[in-house]
Amino acid sequence: MSSERLSGLNALVTAAGNGIGKAVALRFAREGAKVVAVDIDGGALDGLGQPGIAPLVLDATDPEAVDAAVRAHGPFDVLVNGVGYVHHGTVLDCGPDEWRRSFALNVDTMYNTLRAVLPGMIERGGGSVINIASAASSLKGFPNRAAYGATKAAVIGLTKAVAVDHISQGVRCNAICPGTVESPSLAARMKELGRQMGGEDEARKAFVARQPMGRLGTPEEIAAMAVYLASPEASFTTGQALIIDGGILA
Ligand SMILES: NC(=O)c1ccc[n+]([C@@H]2O[C@H](COP(=O)([O-])OP(=O)(O)OC[C@H]3O[C@@H](n4cnc5c(N)ncnc54)[C@H](O)[C@@H]3O)[C@@H](O)[C@H]2O)c1
């Protein structure tokens, strides 16, 4: 489905090589946006070679590289922060390195892109920032998501802070909080968990059991919300953590 809802907008999407970020990049381009699609994995970007999408290999944890990319390809009207990493375990299972890694990938990447992209948005009179958080965050505790939940709660806090600080400059900032969504990293987590549970099917059943709708979400369902938040249709919406979770938090 396409209706050119993002016509004329310049968008930066991180983690665009797989899962939610990829679906966002493809849908944004179909809606008329020009998309710079960033991923650390160049091979993952191969599937994005189509009109409207400029693939860019970039490590979003590297502030200088992010600055240089934004100087070269910006300014941007829309920023979608998609990088995220799931540590599986309780706080006792999470050593300092994994704790730091969780924050470096899930929060510092957003700090880096915000500091690079916001000045251009402010100069142009506004923009829309969309941070991918999670239902596992300040919204709800999930077993074995201590580090992940802490980072995604930080994402919601950062989202609200940016929203209030830059509201008078025309910048909107919202978070999307998905439930469990089909993606390559979820497949890897199912494989890993399957080893402890006696099979991948059992692991899949456990993930589906968390979803009151009885199924996992699709990246395209999340991308639809991102299109809305990026577009002028959402011009009165800022500082919100929008939940799209198959009924977990219903
Ligand atoms: N899949 C889910 O069930 C789910 C649920 C809630 C929230 N989320 C969040 O959605 C976002 C996307 O997750 P997903 O599961 O759809 O995708 P994914 O985890 O399968 O893919 C993430 C992509 O990010 C890229 N990446 C990793 N480190 C990077 C870096 N430093 N710089 C640039 N790119 C980097 C990877 O190469 C990969 O292509 C994450 O923030 C995740 O926490 C996912």
Side-chain angles (χ1 to χ4, degrees):
M1 211 199 318
S2 161
S3 48
E4 298 280 314
R5 288 157 71 193
L6 306 181
S7 180
L9 298 181
N10 209 13
L12 179 67
V13 180
T14 69
N18 282 299
I20 292 169
K22 181 176 185 177
V24 168
L26 291 169
R27 181 74 196 275
F28 273 24
R30 282 212 311 280
E31 295 289 352
K34 276 194 180 160
V35 182
V36 176
V38 159
D39 204 285
I40 197 170
D41 176 359
L45 290 169
D46 286 348
L48 290 171
Q50 65 170 63
I53 302 185
L56 181 68
V57 179
L58 179 70
D59 178 356
T61 65
D62 178 346
E64 275 134 43
V66 170
D67 269 350
V70 171
R71 271 198 308 276
H73 302 278
F76 294 100
D77 307 289
V78 181
L79 166 62
V80 181
N81 278 314
V83 176
Y85 155 73
V86 179
H87 174 268
H88 179 92
T90 67
V91 73
L92 297 178
D93 302 322
C94 186
D97 290 349
E98 283 299 283
W99 181 262
R100 290 279 152 247
R101 180 169 182 229
S102 300
F103 274 87
L105 283 164
N106 298 4
V107 186
D108 295 5
T109 53
M110 299 194 184
Y111 169 80
N112 292 340
T113 54
L114 281 164
R115 283 175 58 90
V117 168
L118 275 176
M121 283 185 174
I122 291 165
E123 207 174 307
R124 278 149 69 97
S128 174
V129 178
I130 300 160
N131 296 325
I132 310 297
S134 175
S137 58
S138 46
L139 298 172
K140 182 170 168 53
F142 283 77
N144 292 310
R145 290 291 178 269
Y148 186 71
T151 62
K152 294 300 191 181
V155 169
I156 293 175
L158 177 62
T159 300
K160 288 180 176 289
V162 170
V164 298
D165 280 340
H166 300 288
I167 196 161
S168 62
Q169 292 156 318
V171 176
R172 296 183 295 107
C173 183
N174 293 286
I176 296 180
C177 303
T180 306
V181 174
E182 299 278 8
S183 76
S185 69
L186 177 69
R189 286 195 292 284
M190 283 178 179
K191 209 168 188 173
E192 179 67 33
L193 204 61
R195 282 191 208 110
Q196 300 160 32
M197 296 182 72
E200 222 170 303
D201 280 356
E202 292 308 306
R204 173 169 281 274
K205 274 188 207 149
F207 277 108
V208 172
R210 302 193 313 195
Q211 300 293 140
M213 278 190 189
R215 68 169 179 88
L216 303 183
T218 67
E220 290 72 24
E221 287 173 310
I222 310 304
M225 186 176 274
V227 170
Y228 168 69
L229 290 173
S231 78
E233 294 161 43
S235 51
F236 208 46
T237 301
T238 196
Q240 297 307 304
L242 289 107
I243 299 163
I244 173 162
D245 69 351
I248 295 173
L249 288 155

Short mmCIF file of all heavy atoms in Angstrom, two decimals, residues 26-49:
data_model
loop_
_atom_site.label_atom_id
_atom_site.label_comp_id
_atom_site.label_asym_id
_atom_site.label_seq_id
_atom_site.Cartn_x
_atom_site.Cartn_y
_atom_site.Cartn_z
N LEU A 26 11.88 0.48 3.64
CA LEU A 26 11.15 0.13 2.41
C LEU A 26 9.82 0.87 2.34
O LEU A 26 9.45 1.41 1.28
CB LEU A 26 10.92 -1.39 2.36
CG LEU A 26 12.18 -2.24 2.14
CD1 LEU A 26 11.89 -3.72 2.38
CD2 LEU A 26 12.75 -2.04 0.73
N ARG A 27 9.10 0.91 3.44
CA ARG A 27 7.77 1.56 3.44
C ARG A 27 7.91 3.08 3.27
O ARG A 27 7.13 3.71 2.54
CB ARG A 27 7.05 1.21 4.74
CG ARG A 27 5.66 1.79 4.89
CD ARG A 27 4.61 1.09 4.03
NE ARG A 27 3.42 1.90 3.93
CZ ARG A 27 2.42 1.92 4.82
NH1 ARG A 27 2.47 1.13 5.88
NH2 ARG A 27 1.38 2.70 4.64
N PHE A 28 8.92 3.68 3.95
CA PHE A 28 9.14 5.13 3.81
C PHE A 28 9.40 5.46 2.34
O PHE A 28 8.88 6.45 1.81
CB PHE A 28 10.35 5.57 4.65
CG PHE A 28 10.03 5.91 6.09
CD1 PHE A 28 8.91 5.39 6.73
CD2 PHE A 28 10.87 6.76 6.81
CE1 PHE A 28 8.64 5.71 8.06
CE2 PHE A 28 10.59 7.09 8.14
CZ PHE A 28 9.48 6.56 8.76
N ALA A 29 10.24 4.66 1.67
CA ALA A 29 10.55 4.94 0.27
C ALA A 29 9.28 4.81 -0.58
O ALA A 29 9.04 5.63 -1.48
CB ALA A 29 11.63 3.98 -0.23
N ARG A 30 8.46 3.80 -0.28
CA ARG A 30 7.20 3.64 -1.05
C ARG A 30 6.26 4.81 -0.82
O ARG A 30 5.44 5.16 -1.67
CB ARG A 30 6.49 2.35 -0.65
CG ARG A 30 7.09 1.09 -1.26
CD ARG A 30 6.04 0.02 -1.53
NE ARG A 30 5.14 -0.26 -0.43
CZ ARG A 30 5.45 -1.03 0.60
NH1 ARG A 30 6.64 -1.59 0.68
NH2 ARG A 30 4.57 -1.25 1.55
N GLU A 31 6.39 5.46 0.35
CA GLU A 31 5.54 6.61 0.67
C GLU A 31 6.14 7.92 0.18
O GLU A 31 5.68 9.00 0.56
CB GLU A 31 5.28 6.69 2.18
CG GLU A 31 4.48 5.52 2.74
CD GLU A 31 3.02 5.53 2.34
OE1 GLU A 31 2.56 6.53 1.75
OE2 GLU A 31 2.35 4.52 2.60
N GLY A 32 7.22 7.84 -0.58
CA GLY A 32 7.76 9.04 -1.22
C GLY A 32 8.92 9.70 -0.52
O GLY A 32 9.42 10.74 -0.98
N ALA A 33 9.39 9.13 0.61
CA ALA A 33 10.55 9.73 1.31
C ALA A 33 11.83 9.34 0.59
O ALA A 33 11.89 8.32 -0.10
CB ALA A 33 10.60 9.24 2.76
N LYS A 34 12.85 10.18 0.80
CA LYS A 34 14.21 9.81 0.41
C LYS A 34 14.85 9.25 1.67
O LYS A 34 14.88 9.95 2.70
CB LYS A 34 14.99 11.03 -0.03
CG LYS A 34 14.78 11.41 -1.46
CD LYS A 34 15.86 12.41 -1.81
CE LYS A 34 15.77 12.87 -3.22
NZ LYS A 34 16.51 14.13 -3.35
N VAL A 35 15.36 8.03 1.61
CA VAL A 35 15.81 7.35 2.83
C VAL A 35 17.30 7.05 2.76
O VAL A 35 17.78 6.44 1.81
CB VAL A 35 15.04 6.01 3.01
CG1 VAL A 35 15.48 5.32 4.30
CG2 VAL A 35 13.55 6.24 3.00
N VAL A 36 18.03 7.49 3.79
CA VAL A 36 19.40 7.01 3.99
C VAL A 36 19.29 5.85 4.97
O VAL A 36 18.89 6.03 6.13
CB VAL A 36 20.32 8.13 4.51
CG1 VAL A 36 21.72 7.57 4.79
CG2 VAL A 36 20.41 9.27 3.49
N ALA A 37 19.59 4.65 4.47
CA ALA A 37 19.38 3.42 5.23
C ALA A 37 20.71 2.93 5.77
O ALA A 37 21.57 2.46 5.03
CB ALA A 37 18.74 2.37 4.33
N VAL A 38 20.85 3.04 7.09
CA VAL A 38 22.13 2.78 7.75
C VAL A 38 22.14 1.42 8.43
O VAL A 38 21.17 1.05 9.09
CB VAL A 38 22.37 3.90 8.81
CG1 VAL A 38 23.36 3.46 9.86
CG2 VAL A 38 22.81 5.19 8.15
N ASP A 39 23.22 0.69 8.26
CA ASP A 39 23.42 -0.53 9.05
C ASP A 39 24.92 -0.78 9.18
O ASP A 39 25.70 -0.38 8.31
CB ASP A 39 22.75 -1.74 8.39
CG ASP A 39 22.42 -2.84 9.39
OD1 ASP A 39 23.35 -3.55 9.81
OD2 ASP A 39 21.24 -2.99 9.76
N ILE A 40 25.32 -1.44 10.24
CA ILE A 40 26.73 -1.79 10.42
C ILE A 40 27.12 -2.95 9.50
O ILE A 40 28.29 -3.12 9.17
CB ILE A 40 27.01 -2.15 11.91
CG1 ILE A 40 28.49 -2.11 12.22
CG2 ILE A 40 26.38 -3.48 12.31
CD1 ILE A 40 28.80 -2.21 13.72
N ASP A 41 26.11 -3.72 9.07
CA ASP A 41 26.34 -4.91 8.26
C ASP A 41 26.01 -4.59 6.79
O ASP A 41 24.85 -4.52 6.41
CB ASP A 41 25.44 -6.04 8.80
CG ASP A 41 25.52 -7.31 7.97
OD1 ASP A 41 26.24 -7.32 6.95
OD2 ASP A 41 24.84 -8.28 8.35
N GLY A 42 27.08 -4.38 5.99
CA GLY A 42 26.89 -4.00 4.59
C GLY A 42 26.09 -5.03 3.82
O GLY A 42 25.24 -4.68 3.00
N GLY A 43 26.30 -6.32 4.10
CA GLY A 43 25.58 -7.40 3.40
C GLY A 43 24.09 -7.29 3.62
O GLY A 43 23.29 -7.54 2.71
N ALA A 44 23.70 -6.89 4.83
CA ALA A 44 22.28 -6.79 5.15
C ALA A 44 21.59 -5.69 4.35
O ALA A 44 20.37 -5.73 4.15
CB ALA A 44 22.09 -6.54 6.65
N LEU A 45 22.39 -4.72 3.88
CA LEU A 45 21.80 -3.60 3.13
C LEU A 45 21.56 -3.95 1.66
O LEU A 45 20.91 -3.19 0.95
CB LEU A 45 22.70 -2.36 3.23
CG LEU A 45 22.76 -1.70 4.62
CD1 LEU A 45 23.88 -0.66 4.67
CD2 LEU A 45 21.42 -1.05 4.96
N ASP A 46 22.07 -5.12 1.23
CA ASP A 46 21.94 -5.48 -0.19
C ASP A 46 20.49 -5.51 -0.66
O ASP A 46 20.19 -5.19 -1.80
CB ASP A 46 22.60 -6.85 -0.46
CG ASP A 46 24.12 -6.73 -0.43
OD1 ASP A 46 24.62 -5.58 -0.45
OD2 ASP A 46 24.79 -7.78 -0.38
N GLY A 47 19.59 -5.93 0.25
CA GLY A 47 18.18 -6.04 -0.12
C GLY A 47 17.47 -4.69 -0.25
O GLY A 47 16.27 -4.66 -0.49
N LEU A 48 18.19 -3.59 -0.08
CA LEU A 48 17.54 -2.28 -0.07
C LEU A 48 17.87 -1.43 -1.30
O LEU A 48 17.56 -0.24 -1.32
CB LEU A 48 17.94 -1.50 1.19
CG LEU A 48 17.38 -2.05 2.50
CD1 LEU A 48 18.01 -1.34 3.68
CD2 LEU A 48 15.88 -1.89 2.55
N GLY A 49 18.52 -2.04 -2.29
CA GLY A 49 18.88 -1.28 -3.48
C GLY A 49 17.67 -1.00 -4.35
O GLY A 49 17.33 -1.79 -5.23
#
